[in-house]
Amino acid sequence: MRLRITRLAGGLIDSREDTAPPTPHWALSAGGRVRAGGGRWGRGRALRPSPPGRGTELLYKMAAAALLRWAGPGLCHSAWGLPFGKGLRLRLSLSRGSGGKGGDGWLYFPLRDRNTLRVHGPEAEPFLLGLLTNELPRPGLGGGAESPAPAPARAHYAHFLNVKGRTLYDVILYRLHESQEEEPDFLLEFDNSVSGDFQNHLKLYKIRRKVSISPCPDLSLWAILPQTAAEGLAMPLLEKGCKPMVLTPDPRAACMGWRLIIQKEDMAQEVVPTTQIRSTKDYHRYRYQKGIPEGIKDLPPGVALPLESNLAFMNGVSFTKGCYIGQELTARTQHMGVIRKRLFPIRFSDSIAAEDISAGASVLTESGKQVGKYRAGEDNVGIALLRSEKVKMPLHIKTSEGHQVNIVPSVPDWWPKVNK
């Protein structure tokens, strides 16, 4: 009997998308039992929920909870004060997010243009610290069940610079080792179009250090972005209680949600809610709207300057760490406190695709004076390096065919308020 009731409760969730005209209606009695249109349970009688309406999802959850309570204790430990089976509890918690119908939730984006390298070994930490603009994510105390201290960050953002202080590669670093006693083990996420050059750059400075550098073709990277505001949402939920290799907040900005790394052999539909999967193109459009640069199109190697690229705003540089390649120019620019140009998100006021604009095209004022350069974009949004005092002026850019297109820069809401 318990098994039958549990299956019926699960059917409440599965039937949310049923479009057949259902009768009779569900009703909850004072005793917690489920009745159909005021009647009683009958053998072989088919009961179906009423059509979805306002507050219907909550009613379904209440009905399923009542069924399980009626089935008696012992199904599993309680949640929300009611006995729930583990699988059904997970399905209930995901029912709102995986329905794809409004409400707060998460969207999942496969990052097919990003790769990972594993750097591990006894000397991995000093090796990376000498090349990166930021500290490394390290294990430490805190985050336990009895500890009030938060767990240390699992990921950091950073740039690799050349000797002249210009950006070569932007990376997100993930710590894989869980304690100080373990051998240092890191993953580096980067633009896959420069895989060969990036590996050669690391091997150039490896020399005789006890460090191993290896590609990770068996890993799959995902971005998990909020449908609304990230600050008010808890950790994203995955299908079937999957434990991923890495699930951590994006270190650059709260609006960028979470980063997920899983094994490629794991079926995507067994890890993330399939109805919430979006395209990589949609991911890039979102980050351009937020003004987040990523990859060599947005940060041309040997051209982009880290502080003009808002590296400090994205928690990607430490001004107190030890020396690293390219530090001198970055430290001097910070000490002077004058950064005249920055990367700004832009929107094309005319119906034109970003692909029609050449990378490096000049951004001009009404009088034709150059105030910056276009970097890259997706659809009708993009990112451009502009003089900060000119962003409120009418600006335009010319397409590859010579047509003039107006652009509207904006100041991202995640920037520090003193810089807006």
Side-chain angles (χ1 to χ4, degrees):
M1 181 63 180
R2 285 184 183 175
L3 179 60
R4 181 180 178 184
I5 297 301
T6 304
R7 289 177 177 174
L8 182 57
L12 277 171
I13 308 304
D14 291 337
S15 61
R16 287 188 305 124
E17 303 297 330
D18 200 327
T19 57
T23 55
H25 298 286
W26 289 111
L28 283 174
S29 67
R33 300 197 179 195
V34 180
R35 297 183 291 114
R40 299 180 60 85
W41 288 101
R43 183 179 299 274
R45 185 178 182 181
L47 301 180
R48 305 177 68 87
S50 58
R54 186 175 182 180
T56 305
E57 287 191 358
L58 179 59
L59 179 59
Y60 291 156
K61 291 181 182 180
M62 292 172 60
L67 282 170
L68 288 170
R69 170 177 285 182
W70 188 47
L75 286 177
C76 196
H77 60 276
S78 66
W80 300 333
L82 298 172
F84 272 77
K86 180 178 179 182
L88 180 59
R89 183 173 66 253
L90 179 60
R91 292 176 66 190
L92 286 172
S93 65
L94 289 173
S95 62
R96 186 175 185 181
S98 60
K101 293 185 177 181
D104 292 341
W106 300 91
L107 301 177
Y108 298 76
F109 302 81
L111 303 179
R112 297 187 176 90
D113 52 2
R114 304 287 284 180
N115 267 358
T116 53
L117 276 179
R118 184 183 175 203
V119 178
H120 61 102
E123 298 183 359
E125 288 193 1
F127 168 65
L128 290 173
L129 284 171
L131 298 174
L132 291 165
T133 59
N134 204 0
E135 299 281 2
L136 301 176
R138 298 177 180 175
L141 299 176
E146 299 179 356
S147 174
R154 186 81 181 269
H156 282 177
Y157 179 63
H159 283 191
F160 285 85
L161 309 181
N162 63 15
V163 293
K164 296 182 179 179
R166 295 184 180 269
T167 296
L168 289 177
Y169 315 105
D170 67 308
V171 298
I172 297 179
L173 298 101
Y174 303 95
R175 170 179 51 82
L176 299 183
H177 58 289
E178 297 295 339
S179 68
Q180 298 283 7
E181 290 73 26
E182 295 181 58
E183 184 176 271
D185 195 356
F186 299 93
L187 278 182
L188 275 63
E189 175 195 325
F190 63 98
D191 189 327
N192 67 4
S193 64
V194 291
S195 294
D197 293 339
F198 185 47
Q199 291 184 58
N200 291 335
H201 179 74
L202 293 179
K203 291 176 181 178
L204 177 65
Y205 292 96
K206 176 185 173 183
I207 313 176
R208 296 182 179 179
R209 290 185 182 272
K210 297 179 181 179
V211 175
S212 296
I213 302 171
S214 55
C216 302
D218 58 329
L219 298 183
S220 176
L221 283 81
W222 294 73
I224 307 178
L225 301 180
Q227 293 192 49
T228 54
E231 293 80 2
L233 292 174
M235 179 183 294
L237 294 176
L238 305 179
E239 294 281 16
K240 296 186 179 180
C242 171
K243 185 177 180 181
M245 184 175 185
V246 173
L247 177 60
T248 185
D250 192 304
R252 296 172 293 183
C255 63
M256 292 304 294
W258 292 64
R259 232 48 176 190
L260 169 68
I261 302 179
I262 60 175
Q263 296 288 336
K264 279 188 177 178
E265 63 188 25
D266 294 336
M267 298 295 289
Q269 58 267 31
E270 295 180 356
V271 180
V272 303
T274 54
T275 54
Q276 295 293 80
I277 295 178
R278 301 293 187 268
S279 69
T280 306
K281 181 178 180 180
D282 291 336
Y283 163 76
H284 290 305
R285 191 176 192 281
Y286 174 88
R287 68 175 182 81
Y288 281 132
Q289 289 175 330
K290 296 297 183 180
I292 301 287
E294 184 178 282
I296 63 170
K297 290 184 178 179
D298 304 340
L299 304 167
V303 175
L305 289 169
L307 297 186
E308 288 185 350
S309 304
N310 304 322
L311 185 63
F313 292 176
M314 295 187 289
N315 313 304
V317 59
S318 171
F319 297 104
T320 58
K321 71 185 290 288
C323 296
Y324 56 89
I325 293 176
Q327 179 192 23
E328 183 179 352
L329 177 61
T330 304
R332 185 169 66 246
T333 304
Q334 173 69 12
H335 178 72
M336 293 174 60
V338 179
I339 303 174
R340 294 183 174 85
K341 295 180 181 180
R342 288 194 180 276
L343 284 178
F344 287 89
I346 61 171
R347 177 176 55 83
F348 300 114
S349 58
D350 299 333
S351 57
I352 189 170
E355 291 78 9
D356 296 331
I357 311 294
S358 301
S362 297
V363 178
L364 308 171
T365 63
E366 287 183 313
S367 61
K369 183 178 179 181
Q370 180 176 328
V371 295
K373 291 185 177 181
Y374 173 75
R375 286 284 174 80
E378 193 72 60
D379 293 338
N380 66 332
V381 294
I383 199 166
L385 182 69
L386 304 173
R387 296 186 69 88
S388 299
E389 71 274 12
K390 304 293 185 181
V391 295
K392 295 184 179 180
M393 299 177 60
L395 301 175
H396 68 270
I397 196 170
K398 291 186 177 181
T399 68
S400 54
E401 297 179 354
H403 301 300
Q404 179 175 309
V405 179
N406 295 328
I407 64 170
V408 181
S410 60
V411 178
D413 55 7
W414 55 270
W415 281 13
K417 295 185 183 300
V418 69
N419 293 284
K420 293 185 178 181

